[in-house]
Amino acid sequence: MDEGYEKETFAGLRIKISVALKFRSFSKRQGKSQSMTLLAMVEFFDHNGISPDQRMYETIASLKYLIKRRFNAMVAIMRSIEKEQTLPTVSMIQALFQQELEPEEVDEWEGDFDFFEQQLTEKKAPSNPELLDTEVHIPKILHEHLKEEMEELKRDFGYVLDHVSLVKNRLGKDYLKLDLDYEAIERYQQKIKNL
């Protein structure tokens, strides 16, 4: 019996026979009485504000997947903007400020300027390349950022390794099984692509 509607009487509706047969089979598939199935259908259309005449062409699950993909794409774009525009700009500005704050060291170099002039005019390789060596400086901010990324990669890799288990196969070789859901794997793949 229908819960909450036990005392109500039945009313007859005039429905075409083919439509009534479809509705009865639909009610059986739902596992509800015809009254409760019809009530659920009416409440569904009222609650979602759609008309039965409209076609959605997509299932709700596919729409959720599409929204999720677009959201992931938006996150990837934001991370790309942060990585390629914001962080380098901030590190350059901080490096400039750091250089202005540091006192300039007066370094009196008494080298042979004729040697450099000769090296610039000649086409052959320099005979004393030690004088032309320069040091490569990495800004401290960039170094710290790279260290943070490395630590994050170590944590992620450790997490993945913790979810790997050995499966013993009686008929063939043993193999490794990864016990992660597909979303986590996609997240790690996206993170590696963004590096």
Side-chain angles (χ1 to χ4, degrees):
M1 203 68 193
D2 302 332
E3 277 188 43
Y5 297 93
E6 293 90 0
K7 294 182 181 178
E8 287 191 28
T9 59
F10 289 94
L13 296 174
R14 294 178 55 94
I15 302 174
K16 301 288 182 182
I17 293 175
S18 62
V19 176
L21 292 174
K22 278 186 176 180
F23 181 70
R24 284 183 184 138
S25 67
F26 180 75
S27 297
K28 285 180 183 177
R29 284 195 308 263
Q30 296 301 313
K32 297 180 180 179
S33 68
Q34 293 175 16
S35 299
M36 290 295 104
T37 302
L38 186 59
L39 178 65
M41 290 169 63
V42 170
E43 286 178 350
F44 172 79
F45 288 117
D46 281 344
H47 178 72
N48 292 309
I50 57 176
S51 168
D53 295 329
Q54 293 175 342
R55 292 285 179 220
M56 294 177 67
Y57 298 109
E58 300 272 347
T59 64
I60 292 176
S62 66
L63 289 174
K64 279 184 180 178
Y65 179 72
L66 181 66
I67 290 170
K68 188 176 182 181
R69 279 185 51 205
R70 288 192 177 164
F71 182 74
N72 287 342
M74 184 184 68
V75 168
I77 289 169
M78 290 174 67
R79 285 184 180 166
S80 172
I81 289 171
E82 179 183 335
K83 184 178 178 183
E84 294 174 3
Q85 294 175 359
T86 310
L87 291 177
T89 306
V90 169
S91 65
M92 286 189 297
I93 290 173
Q94 287 183 343
L96 285 173
F97 282 129
Q98 191 175 20
Q99 284 178 356
E100 284 195 15
L101 293 176
E102 292 176 355
E104 290 185 16
E105 295 179 13
V106 179
D107 206 10
E108 304 264 340
W109 182 70
E110 296 178 9
D112 188 9
F113 288 106
D114 293 334
F115 170 76
F116 285 114
E117 194 174 301
Q118 181 184 4
Q119 292 296 326
L120 291 174
T121 56
E122 290 180 2
K123 301 275 184 183
K124 63 180 183 177
S127 60
N128 197 353
E130 291 82 32
L131 293 176
L132 297 177
D133 285 344
T134 58
E135 292 183 18
V136 177
H137 293 283
I138 299 174
K140 187 175 183 180
I141 298 242
L142 181 60
H143 178 69
E144 294 297 322
H145 181 67
L146 290 173
K147 278 175 66 176
E148 288 173 8
E149 281 185 355
M150 183 65 175
E151 291 302 319
E152 188 176 347
L153 280 173
K154 283 180 182 178
R155 281 194 305 273
D156 291 344
F157 191 65
Y159 180 78
V160 170
L161 286 178
D162 288 343
H163 287 81
V164 173
S165 58
L166 178 66
V167 177
K168 299 212 178 243
N169 193 354
R170 292 181 184 176
L171 299 176
K173 288 184 175 181
D174 296 343
Y175 60 93
L176 298 175
K177 180 181 175 187
L178 184 60
D179 296 326
L180 287 175
D181 58 345
Y182 186 70
E183 293 173 356
I185 294 172
E186 278 186 339
R187 197 169 49 244
Y188 290 132
Q189 286 175 340
Q190 189 67 31
K191 190 182 285 188
I192 289 172
K193 284 180 187 176
N194 288 338
L195 290 179

